[in-house]
Amino acid sequence: MTAFLFDGPDAAPITILLAHGAGAPMDSASMTATAKALAAAGFRVARFEFHYMAARRYGHRKPPPRAETVNPEYVRAIADLRAKGVNGRLIIGGKSMGGRVASMIADEMFSKGEIAGLLCLGYPFHPPEKPTQLRTKHLADLKTPTLIFQGTRDEFGTRDEVATYTLSDKIEVIWLEDGDHDLKPRKSISGFSAADHLKTLADAVKMWTERIVR
């Protein structure tokens, strides 16, 4: 059974399921701050870990696997979340690799009525310094309503680069000024704090779900 961390009201009409990035666990500072911000906006937020990351808690240091190999683990997490009695509409997604994995199973789950949308936080459009190694092919014809938050100085995909990609019209990208791959800005340069960007993120997710969830 998948282990979850929960934030937000039990009776929230919408639950957001989030997976972590390749290198940090579900309770990292970034993931925790994001979950708290979304919970404050009225969402129920559930976080979980892929097996390789969970194993690190017991001293088994495993490198991140290829993203597509953990697709079944995300599908299982959705089933386990429902088995725990979490009802209502479900948005899936995650930080970096977690969002990428969610994007690879999204259309299957959406077509079955299992999910209402996809939320990606810092999508890894390509590895750093390797802009030609794109991870976007499946995004061209994505059918699932999708919201991506990307920092303007994210080395996994800049604004200028993303503007050249062929992306489904179901995908909306919101750019957070001076945000890095964790969406964090440098306040002395941008005037924005991490808390500012998280508030923007949570408010935007709320407005987006009001449009896509019927």
Side-chain angles (χ1 to χ4, degrees):
M1 178 68 73
T2 307
F4 298 98
L5 287 179
F6 288 101
D7 293 280
D10 292 346
I14 299 174
T15 297
I16 300 176
L17 178 61
L18 297 176
H20 55 85
M26 64 180 174
D27 56 356
S28 68
S30 175
M31 287 286 290
T32 298
T34 302
K36 298 295 184 187
L38 290 168
F43 296 102
R44 181 70 160 158
V45 183
R47 289 174 275 165
F48 78 99
E49 289 179 340
F50 298 116
H51 294 161
Y52 83 91
M53 184 61 73
R56 293 184 181 184
R57 297 182 182 275
Y58 303 97
H60 304 293
R61 186 79 184 178
K62 298 182 177 181
R66 292 178 63 85
E68 56 269 22
T69 66
V70 296
N71 289 2
E73 292 184 41
Y74 208 122
V75 174
R76 176 62 183 272
I78 294 171
D80 287 347
L81 190 66
R82 293 305 195 190
K84 282 184 171 291
V86 176
N87 300 312
R89 305 307 296 272
L90 180 64
I91 304 292
I92 64 170
K95 172 75 181 73
S96 193
M97 186 188 84
R100 182 184 173 206
V101 174
S103 74
M104 289 189 282
I105 67 164
D107 276 358
E108 177 188 357
M109 296 293 101
F110 184 67
S111 67
K112 294 178 179 179
E114 294 283 345
I115 67 170
L118 170 67
L119 174 63
C120 299
L121 311 171
Y123 188 87
F125 288 100
H126 60 73
E129 301 182 358
K130 297 179 180 178
T132 61
Q133 295 184 21
L134 293 180
R135 299 158 170 167
T136 58
K137 185 177 181 181
H138 68 292
L139 300 181
D141 58 358
L142 199 69
K143 307 292 192 301
T144 307
T146 300
L147 187 59
I148 297 175
F149 288 91
Q150 201 80 356
T152 59
R153 59 187 178 94
D154 190 336
E155 59 184 353
F156 288 77
T158 66
R159 190 199 297 260
D160 288 345
E161 289 170 341
V162 174
T164 69
Y165 302 156
T166 300
L167 301 177
S168 164
D169 61 7
K170 295 294 185 180
I171 297 174
E172 300 175 46
V173 182
I174 293 180
W175 292 94
L176 297 175
E177 186 61 37
D178 197 53
D180 61 12
H181 193 51
D182 286 332
L183 308 179
K184 292 180 180 177
R186 299 163 295 184
K187 188 168 186 178
S188 62
I189 293 176
S190 68
F192 294 103
S193 68
D196 291 333
H197 278 355
L198 286 177
K199 180 67 163 56
T200 296
L201 183 152
D203 289 346
V205 172
K206 190 171 182 64
M207 292 177 61
W208 173 68
T209 56
E210 288 172 354
R211 283 192 285 113
I212 69 166
V213 176
R214 296 288 183 262

